[in-house]
Amino acid sequence: MQCVTSTAFGPAELLHRLRNRGTAAEVSPITHIERVPPRAGQAAPWPGWTDPTVRDAFTAQRIIAPWKHQAAAATLAWEGTHVVLATGTASGKSLAYQLPALSALARDPKATVLYLSPTKALAADQLRAIARLGLDGVRPATFDGDTPREEREWVRQHSRFVLTNPDMLHHSLLPGHARWGVFLRRLSYVVIDECHTYRGVFGSHVAHVLRRLRRAAARYGSSPTFILASATSGDPAGAASRLTGLPVTEVTEDTSPRGGVTFALWEPPLLPQSTLSLPAVSADSEFLDVELPPIRRSALRETADLLTDAVVAGTRTLAFVRSRRGAEVVASMTRRSLDEAVPGLGDRVAAYRAGYLREDRRAIERSLLSGELLGLASTNALELGVDLVGLDAVLICGYPGTRASLWQQAGRAGRAGGEALAVLIARDDPLDTYLVHHPEAVFGRPVEATVLDPSNPYVLGPQLCCAASEAPLTDADLELFGGEPAVAAAHALAGEGVLRRRPSGWYWTHRGRPDVDLRGTGGAPVAVVESSTGRLLGTVDHGSSHVMLHTGAVYLHQGVSYVVDELDLDDAIALVHQQEPDWTTHARDVTNLSVVNVRSYVDAGPVGLFLGEVDVTNQVVSYQRRRIGTGEVIDTKPLDLPVRELRTVAVWFTISPEALVAAGVEPADFPGALHAAEHAGIGLLPLIATCDRWDIGGLSTASHADTEAPTVFVYDGHPGGAGFAERAYGVAADWLRATREAISACVCEAGCPACVQSPKCGNGNNPLDKHAAVKVLDTVLAALPPSPGEARR
């Protein structure tokens, strides 16, 4: 193994080294540096109710005393109060729930505890932490999709501290509640870790899974206390109450010590302007040199270079990348650069993402924890509270969608209390560009509240079916699941024949269990299999398979390129072969939208603002092959994939053609102006809603059949809606003003990825008219009232 000594660079020195890594750029890539000062901790004595064996076990792990916030939350839970602890990364939230949970197990040899986490990696990390305590009789064990069948029975019969996830609770434990009756009867605590991740449609599903859990526990005679742990978030008690359906008390004062953090905002430099020789139109010369507009260096390339330099400096660094493919690309480029500098050093960098096989994930986690790996490019699979001891720096490739995620990712470094460096590297994206030039939108502002809606009919109906299949629904149960909306949903389900009303309750009418997907991925994961060997490489969620695994797609796995031979959606399998092409693939799709109903609207003269339900159909119809490096389009190949249908919630605005013409936008320019405004609006929506651009979609048209006017739609990309469009409607003026500012402030001439181009556009970002989009938004903002909610009719 190539040996690299531990870094001698502090955050400021390392940042200086990265900024001056051999480039001669006239403009510094750093647009802002924020210094988060260190903070001293405030300890508290061990609560008097702490079991001595538990206290001694923590003391043996060099935890001499809890911090005040840990003791406060733990005591509330011990007294039977449902509590949420919402403090910063590395503030020791684990101790706050471990203390009462393990004390209860020590006091009552029959008591049990259920722990829920959103990721398998986090559950595995918690298992290691609890096992290290060495407490007799606890027998902690994970129960998830990676648990071998032969071990599951042992876990059910013997473990008193079961670590699982909402998916396993939904698919296995609750449907088989009779087999878990003894465990449920003795259930003392339910721990919900990283509860801020349960948002949108996924969070709404989990809210009902927890209500089903409460119902099952009550059936066996227990009423467990819920302990929730969250990153710092807006209104943690309200979000936790919506999630559990219970009154929850919040503890938010962070009294843990924290090392200082140097946080830099980094905008990749513009590449040197190039020229293109075109045939001349005059006889004076044969060719005419045309200057091409400048483009920014890729955020992926910039992140790979920064990760390379950090590893060479001996700095243990984690790079967060938005997409699975991006994580693979960053790791691959970093390894190649390191091996060119020091042969063999590339082995100390790896990629980590969802879709890897269990043994691959565990091997990477062990290598990172042991220090064998110095650099890791990861998706947000490692964002949550996995104890990554010893990390010095975090690189964040692209804004992760929310300030809560941003601070969670930044907090992965400096966990031992030492100084840390975090760098946000902007993508060519409207929101990223806006944020690196408006640091006040990142720093010194509260993080977002968690958005979820358990009354969403596309969630409530299926979850009532799941509950009825586990045990007949009573009137009291319907109150538990939301009261009046649940009653209405039950009657509707009975009308469809899936539930049957009897004096004793509502019964599920089918033999099998309801097929309900919590995460909205649209079906079973698609297995990626190497054609020649039959080897399973990994999986891709069903919802992404049309884009990532269509025939001809390039698929990256642990730095190796494969090309898809065939995608079989019926059998959920993609056959691939290894190949190193000099091109990448980009899927293109077609979207159509129709208005179902209008819930609310604002009549602002020539402008209308609407909120309502829409039907969206989408189909991936082709893909482009593009040269690696230049982005040159080689060709476009057709695809024959099924149409996907979605009923969801949208916000949209209309403008009269006369108002657009008066603003200087000619009818021929309507499509490009509206299209550009749509792209930028989608890019800026995460600034005001708890989402990222991949949670939402959009459509613009010069004349929509339902509105009979130029229209821009932005819709939630989840069945029934996820609350994002409603949030946008409520603060439309703020949202569209930020959108207008982001477009007008961009230095490009005709539109670029930093303002109006979109990485997910199905029309290849054509047509787009940046300057006309500003006129569109000026017209809308001039007409809209400051607070649309006050003008509803």
Side-chain angles (χ1 to χ4, degrees), residues 71 77 125 223 226 380 418 441 454 498 504-505 534 561 572 701:
D125 184 72
S223 180
F226 281 73
N380 63 358
V498 294
S504 55
S561 294
T701 175

Side-chain angles (χ1 to χ4, degrees), residues 33-39 258-263 407 419-420 443:
I33 295 177
E34 187 79 8
R35 175 64 183 162
V36 181
R39 178 184 63 215
R258 182 186 63 194
V261 180
T262 300
F263 204 134
W407 287 107
E419 292 283 317
F443 305 107

